[in-house]
């Protein structure tokens, strides 16, 4: 009887012992200080000048001020630790009391607790006390006593808290942290987040998008100077400079577009949106990439650097707001594509013809419309619903399709008119063979839009074309046509 009584008493104490849960990096795979800062500075860039004043008043004050200015922060789309949440729901069903205990500001913590609706209480920083490390340990020990609670954490700053806890849950891939946690408390469970790997960095830098920068080489080929080795070297330097600049912009765009990406069925898995790569890493990596890009551009010469700067400025403007302007966003994308060709021409001092610029503008405008149409196509078919982060509604899809097809055919018309220009007879020995390029271009434009119409197109037509077999065949056929016409 005594043994049974002791067992029931022990079971009852476990049931009554509260589970305190950390927020940043534990309940969510991100840091709410960084999230609120990004949201605050995005809404009001001038507020960054207030940051030194807040820092002087303490970290808790910084969190409070940022939380007050991050009203548009959508906690419903944050990258939550679903494995942990499922376990917490089971424990709550067993009668355990759940407490969200975090160093994040109480305004954000209560908002998240209200959204999840599983916590019985919230303990958080209040603008005066930063509830982290020793402060958190002292607060919980005073509230529940030593060994009077269990704690779920993810970092070395949680070690003082685990020391006061009866049992602990570790959310981390770090063997060293798990080992240290076991020295401080009884670790009953370890939750392993998704590991940061090489593919995460490839995705963050959008290395597959570097293929678009091959447009830099178009002026050299269009001018029939493919045998100029010095120009090839210059353009390779320009290519890598452009790639690093583009990756910098992609990171900036991802950071500014976190909430839109998290509401997208596929983009929510991007490294920054999913919390796989911390926000602060992106904030350091983006300027580092642009600095290296500018350094490489010094060796390119010509008029390349001003056009690189124009491209960077326009892409930043696009990310900050132009992409939300209906139709103008597609025109901006077409200009950004064409700027790659312009930059390549200035890098090797080759003048660009009217025909090349007109053809590329119409062609890339069509591809920009494909990109936007694909997004609308994958969106829920609610004719009155606005696409998150864009200026379009789902019912705009048919109009975008018409505009895109018209632009694509217009590019083919420019190519046909080019065949009657004097440049053709100057560059090609048998220019009549180039007429074969016209039906090939019509076929490719029609094929791309047919795939988009059927819902087979991802939201990037360039990447789709690189993987598409018919597109590959058409590109080879175009190459053969121009070779025959020249030799």
């Amino acid at each position: 009887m005594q043994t049974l009584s002791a067992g029931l008493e022990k079971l009852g104490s476990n049931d009554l012992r509260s589970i305190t849960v950390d927020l940043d990096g534990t309940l969510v795979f991100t840091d709410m200080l960084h999230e609120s800062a990004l949201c605050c500075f995005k809404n009001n860039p001038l507020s960054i000048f207030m940051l030194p004043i807040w820092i002087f008043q303490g970290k808790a004050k910084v969190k409070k001020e940022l939380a007050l200015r991050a009203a548009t922060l959508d906690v419903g789309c944050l990258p939550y630790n679903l494995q942990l949440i499922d376990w917490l729901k089971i424990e709550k069903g067993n009668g355990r009391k759940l407490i969200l205990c975090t160093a994040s500001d109480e305004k954000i913590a209560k908002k998240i607790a209200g959204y999840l609706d599983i916590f019985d209480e919230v303990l958080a920083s209040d603008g005066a006390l930063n509830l982290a490390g020793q402060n958190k340990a002292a607060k919980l020990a005073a509230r529940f006593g030593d060994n009077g609670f269990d704690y779920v954490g993810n970092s070395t700053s949680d070690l003082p808290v685990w020391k006061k806890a009866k049992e602990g849950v570790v959310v981390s891939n770090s063997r060293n942290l798990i080992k240290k946690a076991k020295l401080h408390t009884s670790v009953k469970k370890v939750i392993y987040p998704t590991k940061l790997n090489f593919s995460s960095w490839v995705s963050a830098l959008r290395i597959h998008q570097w293929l678009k920068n091959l447009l830099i080489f178009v002026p050299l080929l269009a001018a029939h100077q493919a045998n100029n080795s010095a120009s090839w070297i210059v353009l390779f330097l320009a290519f890598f400079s452009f790639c690093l600049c583009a990756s910098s912009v992609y990171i900036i765009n991802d950071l500014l577009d976190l909430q839109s990406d998290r509401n997208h069925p596929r983009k929510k898995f991007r490294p920054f949106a999913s919390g796989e790569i911390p926000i602060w890493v992106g904030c350091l990596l983006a300027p580092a990439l642009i600095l290296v890009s500018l350094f490489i551009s010094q060796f390119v010469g010509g008029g390349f650097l001003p056009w690189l700067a124009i491209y960077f400025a326009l892409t930043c403007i696009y990310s900050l707001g132009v992409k939300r302007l209906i139709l103008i966003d597609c025109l901006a994308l077409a200009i950004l594509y064409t700027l790659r060709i312009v930059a390549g021409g200035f890098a090797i001092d080759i003048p660009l013809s009217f025909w090349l610029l007109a053809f590329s503008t119409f062609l890339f405008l069509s591809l920009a419309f494909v990109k936007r149409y694909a997004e609308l196509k994958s969106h829920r078919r609610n004719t009155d619903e606005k696409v998150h982060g864009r200026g379009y509604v789902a019912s705009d899809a048919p109009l975008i399709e018409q505009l895109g097809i018209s632009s694509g055919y217009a590019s083919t018309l420019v190519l046909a008119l080019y065949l009657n220009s004097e440049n053709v007879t100057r560059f090609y020995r048998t220019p009549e063979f180039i007429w074969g390029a016209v039906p090939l271009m019509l076929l490719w434009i029609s094929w791309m839009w047919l795939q988009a119409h059927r819902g087979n197109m991802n939201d990037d037509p360039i990447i789709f074309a690189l993987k598409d077999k018919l597109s590959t065949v058409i590109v080879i056929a175009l190459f053969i046509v121009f070779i025959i016409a020249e030799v």
Side-chain angles (χ1 to χ4, degrees):
M1 286 295 292
Q2 288 181 350
T3 304
L4 178 61
S5 176
L8 290 173
E9 183 180 350
K10 183 177 180 182
L11 178 61
S13 64
N14 281 338
D15 286 344
L16 292 175
R17 198 168 60 241
S18 298
I19 301 177
T20 56
V21 186
D22 180 44
L23 177 59
D24 301 322
T26 304
L27 186 65
V28 293
F29 294 123
T30 184
D31 190 302
M32 297 314 300
L33 173 60
H34 302 153
E35 293 277 346
S36 57
L38 197 61
C39 186
C40 172
F41 299 143
K42 181 181 176 181
N43 294 336
N44 183 15
L46 294 179
S47 60
I48 194 172
F49 296 108
M50 295 296 295
L51 191 58
I53 300 174
W54 300 335
I55 292 176
F56 182 76
Q57 299 177 62
K59 196 169 184 178
K61 179 66 174 179
V62 174
K63 294 176 180 180
K64 173 63 70 177
E65 295 296 337
L66 290 175
L68 290 172
R69 290 164 175 78
T72 58
L73 182 64
D74 183 6
V75 299
C77 64
L78 291 173
Y80 288 99
N81 187 340
L82 300 181
Q83 185 181 351
L84 174 60
I85 291 174
D86 289 340
W87 178 78
L88 290 173
K89 287 179 178 178
I90 293 173
E91 293 298 307
K92 185 175 179 66
N94 292 332
R96 304 289 295 275
K97 185 178 181 181
L98 304 183
I99 298 176
L100 182 59
C101 186
T102 174
S104 292
D105 186 74
E106 57 185 357
K107 181 178 176 65
I108 292 176
K110 289 179 179 178
K111 196 173 181 181
I112 290 174
Y115 170 74
L116 293 176
D117 196 26
I118 61 173
F119 291 100
D120 300 287
E121 191 177 347
V122 176
L123 301 175
S125 299
D126 57 5
L129 176 67
N130 184 40
L131 199 63
Q134 294 290 353
N135 289 338
K136 183 185 290 189
K139 179 90 171 180
L140 291 175
R143 174 71 181 276
F144 303 104
D146 289 355
N147 298 326
F149 63 96
D150 294 346
Y151 182 70
V152 186
N154 75 301
S155 69
T156 54
S157 63
D158 294 314
L159 292 175
V161 191
W162 275 316
K163 191 173 182 179
K164 298 289 185 179
K166 176 70 175 178
E167 293 182 336
V169 175
V170 182
V171 180
S172 176
N173 291 308
S174 171
R175 293 182 180 180
N176 187 43
L177 176 63
I178 296 170
K179 183 179 179 180
K180 288 181 178 179
K182 288 180 177 179
L183 295 175
H184 287 76
T185 189
S186 173
V187 176
K188 64 181 296 184
K189 185 179 181 65
V190 177
I191 296 176
Y192 298 95
T194 303
K195 276 190 175 182
L196 181 62
N197 51 40
F198 179 72
S199 63
S200 303
W201 294 108
V202 170
S203 177
L205 296 175
R206 302 280 219 291
I207 290 180
H208 62 284
Q209 300 280 11
W210 288 8
L211 293 170
K212 297 177 182 179
N213 299 324
L214 291 174
L215 291 169
I216 283 178
F217 295 95
V218 168
L220 183 66
L221 300 176
H224 296 256
Q225 295 185 23
N227 59 346
N228 190 331
S229 58
S231 294
W232 279 104
I233 294 173
V234 170
L235 287 179
F236 270 114
L237 289 173
F239 171 78
F240 285 112
S241 176
F242 227 90
C243 288
L244 295 178
C245 178
S247 289
S248 173
V249 173
Y250 286 132
I251 291 173
I252 293 172
N253 182 71
D254 282 355
L255 294 177
L256 293 176
D257 227 16
L258 279 178
Q259 295 193 55
S260 294
D261 285 352
R262 288 168 179 166
N263 283 290
H264 193 277
R266 282 180 292 102
K267 293 180 181 180
K268 65 182 180 182
F269 298 111
R270 286 177 173 176
F272 292 107
S274 65
E276 203 171 347
I277 299 180
I279 289 174
W280 68 266
V281 173
C283 292
L284 293 179
L285 186 58
L289 288 172
I290 196 63
L291 287 175
V292 176
S293 173
L294 291 173
F295 175 76
I296 295 176
S297 70
Q298 300 300 313
F299 300 95
V300 176
F304 174 75
L305 181 56
W307 287 105
L308 178 69
I310 291 173
Y311 170 82
F312 178 76
L314 288 180
T315 47
C316 288
I317 293 172
Y318 174 81
S319 297
L320 287 171
V322 171
K323 65 182 177 183
R324 295 176 179 83
L325 301 178
I326 188 169
L327 300 180
I328 296 177
D329 61 333
C330 292
L331 182 60
L333 285 175
I335 292 172
L336 289 172
Y337 275 116
T338 306
L339 274 178
R340 292 171 166 90
I341 298 176
V342 174
F346 274 86
I348 53 178
D349 295 323
I350 289 180
L352 302 175
S353 70
F354 160 81
W355 299 107
L356 177 60
L357 293 176
F359 172 78
S360 61
T361 300
F362 281 113
L363 177 62
F364 296 135
L365 182 59
S366 179
L367 295 180
F369 279 127
V370 167
K371 179 181 175 70
R372 202 60 74 231
Y373 177 80
E375 291 180 352
L376 293 172
K377 188 77 174 178
S378 64
H379 197 259
R380 287 178 294 179
R381 296 178 179 276
N382 185 336
T383 56
D384 297 323
E385 186 172 352
K386 192 173 182 179
V387 179
H388 196 279
R390 305 295 181 190
Y392 300 88
V393 295
S395 58
D396 291 331
L399 174 62
I400 298 302
E401 185 177 25
Q402 293 176 31
L403 293 173
I405 295 172
S406 301
S407 300
Y409 284 174
S411 68
T412 308
L413 177 61
V414 171
L415 175 62
L417 294 173
Y418 166 72
L419 299 181
N420 285 325
S421 69
E422 60 180 18
N423 290 340
V424 173
T425 55
R426 182 158 55 95
F427 286 133
Y428 300 97
R429 294 183 181 180
T430 52
E432 56 272 14
F433 281 102
I434 304 181
W435 277 102
V438 174
L440 287 172
M441 282 299 302
L442 287 173
L443 173 61
W444 185 69
I445 294 294
S446 302
W447 173 254
M448 292 289 282
W449 275 101
L450 177 63
Q451 295 305 307
H453 182 77
R454 290 180 174 178
N456 299 329
M457 179 75 64
N458 57 36
D459 59 355
D460 194 319
I462 300 295
I463 303 302
F464 174 85
L466 292 170
K467 299 177 181 178
D468 180 53
K469 293 181 179 179
L470 182 59
S471 297
T472 302
V473 171
I474 291 174
V475 169
I476 294 173
L478 284 169
F479 181 77
I480 292 174
V481 164
F482 279 97
I483 290 295
I484 292 175
E486 186 173 359
V487 302

